[in-house]
Amino acid sequence: MDKYLNFSLEGKVALVTGAAYGIGFAMAEALAEAGAKIAFNCRGEHHLEQALADYKAKGIEARGYICDVTKEDQVKAMVADIEQNLGTIDILVNNAGIIKRIPMHEMALEEFQQVIDIDLVAPFIVSKAVIPGMIKKGHGKIINICSMMSELGRETVSAYAAAKGGLKMLTRNICSEYGEYNIQCNGIGPGYIATPQTAPLREPQADGSRHPFDTFICAKTPAGRWLLPEELKGPAVFLASDASNAVNGHILYVDGGILAYIGKQPK
Ligand code: NAP
Ligand code: GCO
């Protein structure tokens, strides 16, 4: 087993943004299982309370914060409190994100801006807050949660695709600018994962039939199914650990093969 010690996160401090539930919760759980001390944030007080109970139920003493990642002052205060109580942040997962599914010509500027602020500007804000500590410590891991929409477009998700495409390039630029400080910045690009964010795409129709998007995305996924948040646990530990010290600027697509597949031929 000694061969695989470099997957261990013992003694590390990890901040996972937006990890009250969904993909962020699953990745934070994995980082804790690998030995890291966990800090997370969300916006909703009720989400925070429930998340703390959920982490505790899994034996994880997570440190939770109400912090809007688009507000630099709140982020700075959260990072300072983490550094004071847990130590310098070794691992940052920029996971917090939203989507608005609106035809672009009907989308209000404020709606477009809100998606860009949370999905692209906030990873800049949080990364900027943690990088000085990582430089001082001599190492760091930043993992940006990208998307199929970092590579592909589709109707109604213009703001989201613009943000996630930008996040792919922000990932590559942090890699370029901070690699010399032994900071690796990579992305995880999940496929279609069953979480609250995609619940509207899976809801059965009024007549009880499958949501057309549910049928569509299963035909676009070689395994013919939605992926699960737990299937992101291993990739997150890998990119957070010393096992990936030579991996930098890479977007690891955990998509079940969607990007490689033209789609199942209709019968
Ligand atoms: P989710 O279930 O909607 O969870 C989103 C999380 O982000 C929640 O904890 C939410 O907390 C938090 N959040 C949103 N805006 C925030 C803000 N301004 N400040 C702080 N926290 C904020 O989403 P998910 O499906 O787990 O997705 C997580 C990430 O993976 C997102 O970046 C998403 O774009 C990406 N992704 C998802 C899929 C998928 O199929 N589900 C695929 C590819 C990529 P509150 O509710 O308390 O605000
Ligand atoms: C959508 C979905 C996707 C997923 C994910 C795919 O409306 O198409 O929400 O955007 O969230 O980003 O990788």
Side-chain angles (χ1 to χ4, degrees), residues 99 101 147-149 154 157 160 190-192 197-198 201 213:
I99 192 166
R101 301 181 181 99
S147 162
M148 294 289 93
M149 274 63 217
R154 82 174 186 84
V157 295
Y160 186 81
Y192 278 80
Q197 191 240 51
T198 54
L201 303 174
F213 196 92

Side-chain angles (χ1 to χ4, degrees), residues 53-183:
D54 293 341
Y55 281 113
K56 200 167 182 65
K58 291 185 178 283
I60 300 167
E61 287 302 326
R63 196 172 177 83
Y65 296 84
I66 296 292
C67 169
D68 182 336
V69 290
T70 65
K71 304 286 187 281
E72 191 164 33
D73 57 342
Q74 293 183 26
V75 169
K76 284 179 173 177
M78 172 176 67
V79 170
D81 190 87
I82 294 168
E83 291 182 341
Q84 189 175 349
N85 288 283
L86 295 181
T88 303
I89 294 166
D90 302 285
I91 301 157
L92 167 63
V93 182
N94 283 309
N95 168 77
I98 65 165
I99 192 166
K100 288 184 181 297
R101 301 181 181 99
I102 305 166
M104 195 180 91
H105 68 286
E106 295 172 9
M107 185 177 245
L109 172 60
E110 297 69 32
E111 292 170 315
F112 188 93
Q113 191 65 58
Q114 187 188 10
V115 175
I116 297 292
D117 283 347
I118 296 172
D119 294 8
L120 178 58
V121 178
F124 156 75
I125 290 172
V126 188
S127 300
K128 179 183 160 194
V130 306
I131 281 171
M134 291 179 170
I135 290 174
K136 212 175 290 173
K137 206 166 184 182
H139 65 250
K141 297 283 187 181
I142 298 175
I143 302 169
N144 293 323
I145 306 306
C146 297
S147 162
M148 294 289 93
M149 274 63 217
S150 297
E151 301 293 343
L152 304 169
R154 82 174 186 84
E155 301 80 1
T156 77
V157 295
S158 59
Y160 186 81
K164 293 298 188 180
L167 186 56
K168 172 175 71 172
M169 284 314 302
L170 178 63
T171 301
R172 291 180 177 159
N173 214 75
I174 294 172
C175 149
S176 306
E177 194 163 0
Y178 296 97
E180 69 177 285
Y181 301 103
N182 190 28
I183 295 170

